[in-house]
């Protein structure tokens, strides 16, 4: 097996439309991306993800590490913690993290889910 790599993720434009976030509160955040790797039985996954502005309920169903490359958004945990995301921010969302995400400017991130 060869090692999957993604060079210059900010320059990647051949993205697949992944549809609208199903838990919208305001607006219509559309997502797209490029899958770099999907593990056996889909237990792990990594790739590039893009999301347009809007506000939606967020429930992280598996541990997720994100490195946000561009855009701005705010995550508010159901307990009240506010996380401001700007370009070059890394964040880890543990399984069952719940809250609201507001995308102010289209975000692009590389991610790893396990």
């Amino acid at each position: 097996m060869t090692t999957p790599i993604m060079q210059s993720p900010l320059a990647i434009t051949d993205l697949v439309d992944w549809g609208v976030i199903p838990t919208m509160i305001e607006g219509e955040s559309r997502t797209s991306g490029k899958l770099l790797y999907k593990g056996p039985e889909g237990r792990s996954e990594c790739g590039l993800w893009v999301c347009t502005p809007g506000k939606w309920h967020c429930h992280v169903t598996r541990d997720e590490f994100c490195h946000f490359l561009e855009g701005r958004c705010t995550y508010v945990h159901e307990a009240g913690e506010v996380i401001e995301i700007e370009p070059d921010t890394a964040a880890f969302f543990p399984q069952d993290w719940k809250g609201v995400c507001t995308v102010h400017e289209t975000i692009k991130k590389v991610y790893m889910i396990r």
Side-chain angles (χ1 to χ4, degrees), residues 80-98:
E81 176 189 24
V82 177
I83 305 162
E84 296 293 344
I85 302 293
E86 58 186 32
D88 204 24
T89 300
F92 174 76
F93 295 92
Q95 180 176 346
D96 287 327
W97 188 99
K98 292 179 184 174

Side-chain angles (χ1 to χ4, degrees), residues 48-67:
L48 178 69
W49 188 76
V50 176
C51 183
T52 63
K55 183 176 184 178
W56 37 275
H57 292 285
C58 180
H59 177 201
V60 179
T61 58
R62 292 181 288 157
D63 289 345
E64 181 174 356
F65 172 79
C66 307
H67 182 194

Side-chain angles (χ1 to χ4, degrees), residues 24 34 36 67:
M24 292 304 306
K34 185 173 184 104
L36 178 62
H67 182 194

Side-chain angles (χ1 to χ4, degrees), residues 35 44 57 76 78 90 93 98 105 109:
L35 193 61
S44 64
H57 292 285
V76 180
E78 63 185 0
F93 295 92
K98 292 179 184 174
E105 299 170 11
K109 70 179 183 181

Side-chain angles (χ1 to χ4, degrees), residues 5-93:
I5 64 168
M6 181 178 288
Q7 294 181 318
S8 303
L10 279 173
I12 294 174
T13 57
D14 61 332
L15 304 175
V16 174
D17 182 1
W18 290 346
V20 175
I21 298 280
T23 56
M24 292 304 306
I25 299 169
E26 295 173 11
E28 186 179 83
S29 291
R30 295 200 65 81
T31 63
S32 58
K34 185 173 184 104
L35 193 61
L36 178 62
Y37 175 79
K38 192 163 192 105
E41 300 171 18
R43 287 191 301 260
S44 64
E45 168 183 322
C46 61
L48 178 69
W49 188 76
V50 176
C51 183
T52 63
K55 183 176 184 178
W56 37 275
H57 292 285
C58 180
H59 177 201
V60 179
T61 58
R62 292 181 288 157
D63 289 345
E64 181 174 356
F65 172 79
C66 307
H67 182 194
F68 294 86
L69 304 172
E70 65 182 16
R72 297 188 186 285
C73 66
T74 304
Y75 286 89
V76 180
H77 187 270
E78 63 185 0
E81 176 189 24
V82 177
I83 305 162
E84 296 293 344
I85 302 293
E86 58 186 32
D88 204 24
T89 300
F92 174 76
F93 295 92

